[in-house]
């Protein structure tokens, strides 16, 4: 028996756009410019400019259904225009990670067969040298000021964004698309092998946006202003630009001003109530505020994810600045919201902590199971580890294989029955809280037992002298592998003897897990999205480039 509901109304991004620009037309998008006045606009005006962009792309540049239109842009209101225009007209938005090495960017653009690249003028020096190797790009659209002389003589046609939009109609007859059609694509950072493309559908974006808006997720309302520091090329800024058009939450966009100083300034000046970013950004902000206090009291909550958030940092934000941190887990393949650490009700603030430092609970749209090391599935008992596998309507079922090619389903990433293998190892408690102990490839296998590199890092970062710590497995004759601890000392703090750090670790970590090998680092190497890049550390160690001390 079929339902009597309007099930044929497709869940499309144009519906989110129409809703946002009418019902929440006055909601604001403020973009930091680094000058006296930020750039200010509204959802209504953004929607009108999205229509103008769609007209320009169709009528001037010949973009049609399924064509890929890439963006190489910071978080700003023009990028939001592209976010809505491109999928709503039936084309596919491809956000490019501007921090990737040139080789990977070239690979990604060619693999996706992007026809157009919208690029912020400030990023032209990055794009221009790559253009001769971009085989499918016919048009470059320069958004905002920049030195266009670097584009002289290039093959693609060059356009100026404002000129392209000028005079075009401010409404567009958005086509009624299949909700399963491709809307946007994003490549994983490619830590092993070539980057892999995840293609989001209108339906997956729509459902994920509703999840972002739930109270047990980010739960923002029209009274809020959110600051997505997480880039719009990093899993769609965790879904925030789409989600806010559903709920009328205003946005403060940092553009290219991502250093702690300007971030602190824009928070003090524009008073956002929420922000989202990876831990390394927050660590920087804490240090900045310690050196130069600013008023960040408008911030009520921040969502932190992308890599394990050290509990000491969560505490510091709450104790020093009254900001409540919500820890979240996700991946490019999971759109990214996979789990969020909201504690159960009825607890005291102290009782909440053990829940809040986990990776959290899964929303109803995400089913989870733990593949046990010996086969089968581990119970949710808070103790039995396994590799996390997930499935749901905003989880990838495959990777983009290339134009005209079949999707890729490598067996290390997808189980035979279609679940996503996350590569993350952890335990799940009986009441559904996920605690990740490591990435499968970062686990330290010492004498047949597993040591969690994340646990050691978190414990080290709780020491008052330590700014950052990264722990990697190194080969050991006797034990197979042992942990090597790399520490970055806080500025202005004298280095602490390694013996003292080891004793400090011994308060919370079992003796046999304590590292013998130690090294002081200037910085922990980071990936293009700000995560600890442990493969660089492993390589440096293997090449004998690190000045390692071995304790007896
Ligand atoms: P990207 O950051 O570009 O999305 P990935 O999709 O590879 O790159 O990153 C996802 C991975 O990041 C997860 O599989 C997990 O290992 C790690 N991660 C994300 N959030 C957390 C978290 N809260 N705690 C621990 N690890 C996390």
């Amino acid at each position: 028996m079929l339902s009597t509901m309007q099930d044929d109304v497709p869940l499309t991004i144009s519906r989110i756009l129409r809703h946002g620009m009418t019902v929440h037309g006055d909601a604001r998008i403020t973009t930091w410019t680094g000058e006296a006045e930020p750039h200010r606009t509204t959802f209504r005006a953004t929607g009108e400019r999205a229509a103008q962009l769609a007209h320009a792309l169709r009528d001037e540049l010949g973009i049609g259904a399924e064509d890929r239109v890439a963006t190489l842009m910071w978080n700003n209101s023009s990028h939001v225009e592209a976010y809505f225009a491109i999928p709503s007209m039936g084309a596919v938005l491809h956000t490019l990670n501007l921090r990737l090495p040139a080789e990977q960017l070239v690979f990604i653009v060619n693999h996706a067969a992007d026809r157009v690249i919208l690029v912020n003028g400030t990023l032209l020096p990055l794009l221009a040298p790559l253009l001769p190797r971009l085989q499918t790009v016919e048009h470059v659209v320069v958004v905002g000021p920049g030195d266009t002389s670097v584009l002289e003589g290039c093959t693609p046609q060059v356009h100026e964004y404002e000129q392209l939009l000028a005079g075009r109609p401010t409404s567009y007859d958005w086509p009624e698309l299949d909700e399963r059609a491709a809307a946007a694509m994003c490549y994983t950072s490619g830590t092993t092998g070539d980057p892999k493309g995840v293609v989001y559908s209108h339906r997956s974006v729509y459902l994920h946006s509703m999840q972002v808006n739930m109270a047990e997720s980010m739960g923002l309302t029209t009274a809020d202003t959110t600051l997505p520091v997480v880039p719009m090329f990093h899993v769609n800024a965790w879904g925030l630009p789409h989600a806010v058009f559903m709920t009328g939450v205003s946005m403060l966009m940092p553009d290219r001003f991502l250093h702690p100083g300007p971030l602190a300034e824009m928070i003090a000046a524009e008073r956002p109530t929420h922000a989202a970013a990876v831990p390394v950004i927050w660590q920087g902000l804490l240090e900045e505020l310690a050196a130069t206090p600013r008023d960040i009291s408008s911030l009520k909550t921040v969502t932190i994810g992308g890599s394990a958030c050290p509990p000491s940092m969560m505490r510091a934000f709450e104790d020093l600045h009254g900001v409540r941190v919500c820890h979240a887990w996700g991946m490019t393949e999971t759109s990214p919201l996979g789990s969020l650490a909201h504690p159960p009700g009825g607890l005291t603030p102290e009782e909440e902590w053990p829940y809040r430092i986990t990776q959290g609970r899964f929303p109803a749209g995400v089913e989870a199971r733990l593949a046990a090391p010996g086969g089968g599935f581990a119970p949710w008992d808070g103790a039995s580890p396994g590799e996390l596998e997930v499935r749901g309507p905003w989880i990838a079922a495959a990777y983009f294989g290339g134009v005209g090619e079949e999707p890729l389903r490598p067996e290390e990433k997808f189980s035979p029955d279609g679940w996503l293998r996350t590569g993350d190892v952890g335990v799940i408690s009986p009441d559904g809280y996920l605690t990740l102990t490591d990435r499968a490839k970062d686990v330290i296998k010492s004498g047949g037992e597993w040591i969690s590199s994340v646990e050691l890092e978190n414990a080290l970062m709780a020491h008052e002298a330590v700014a950052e710590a990264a722990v990697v497995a190194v080969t050991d004759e006797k034990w197979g592998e042992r942990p090597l601890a790399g520490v970055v000392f806080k500025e202005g703090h004298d280095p602490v003897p390694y013996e003292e750090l080891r004793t400090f670790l011994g308060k919370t970590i079992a003796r046999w897990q304590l590292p013998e090998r130690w090294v002081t680092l200037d910085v922990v190497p980071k990936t293009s999205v700000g995560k600890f890049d442990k493969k660089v550390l492993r390589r440096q160690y293997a090449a004998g480039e690190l000045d390692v001390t071995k304790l007896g």
Side-chain angles (χ1 to χ4, degrees), residues 9 17 39 72 101 109 158 311 409 444 474:
V9 175
L17 171 62
H39 174 269
L72 187 64
V109 172
V158 177
R409 288 189 187 81
I444 301 151
V474 297

Side-chain angles (χ1 to χ4, degrees), residues 97 186-191 198 200 233-235 238 278-279 304-309 327-334 336 339 357-360 388 413 421-425 434 436-442 454 527-531:
N97 178 344
C186 194
Y187 281 71
T188 62
S189 341
T191 38
V198 175
Y200 308 105
F233 57 75
H234 188 196
V235 216
W238 299 352
V278 294
I304 299 191
S307 55
C309 178
H327 191 199
W329 166 85
M331 311 169 67
T332 305
E333 291 88 336
T334 66
S339 64
I357 61 177
T358 69
Q359 273 69 19
L388 177 67
K413 293 302 292 184
R421 294 179 157 148
T422 65
D424 289 323
V425 173
L434 167 72
L436 290 183
T437 45
D438 240 320
R439 281 194 146 181
K441 58 181 184 299
D442 291 335
V454 173
T527 69
S528 61
V529 286
K531 304 184 190 197

Side-chain angles (χ1 to χ4, degrees), residues 11-163:
L11 307 178
T12 53
I13 290 177
S14 59
R15 290 208 148 73
I16 305 178
L17 171 62
R18 261 196 304 261
H19 174 78
M21 66 182 293
T22 50
V23 175
H24 300 297
D26 293 331
R28 287 161 289 118
I29 304 177
T30 306
T31 305
W32 200 247
T33 55
E35 289 159 19
E37 257 307 293
H39 174 269
R40 297 182 195 278
T41 186
T42 62
F43 284 11
R44 186 179 305 106
T46 300
E48 288 171 357
R49 283 169 59 85
Q52 291 183 306
L53 173 59
H55 281 290
L57 288 172
R58 186 187 67 188
D59 302 340
E60 188 86 15
L61 308 191
I63 289 300
E66 300 186 16
D67 281 337
R68 266 76 59 207
V69 178
T71 54
L72 187 64
M73 295 174 72
W74 304 104
N75 290 13
N76 50 44
S77 62
S78 310
H79 206 169
V80 180
E81 291 156 18
Y83 250 55
F84 284 103
I86 295 162
S88 296
M89 68 186 286
V92 182
L93 167 76
H94 178 197
T95 49
L96 297 172
N97 178 344
L98 53 90
R99 297 216 178 79
L100 283 184
E103 286 313 309
Q104 288 194 9
L105 270 177
V106 169
F107 171 87
I108 286 172
V109 172
N110 289 336
H111 191 256
D114 297 328
R115 288 188 60 195
V116 178
I117 299 185
L118 302 180
V119 55
N120 274 140
T122 47
L123 292 167
L124 285 174
L126 173 67
L127 179 67
L130 309 184
L131 281 174
R133 293 154 70 201
L134 305 182
Q135 294 150 6
T136 55
V137 176
E138 299 158 44
H139 302 277
V140 171
V141 180
V142 182
V143 188
D147 175 12
T148 49
S149 68
V150 291
L151 295 174
E152 265 163 34
C154 76
T155 312
Q157 279 184 43
V158 177
H159 311 262
E160 200 280 317
Y161 190 69
E162 294 305 329
Q163 285 173 13

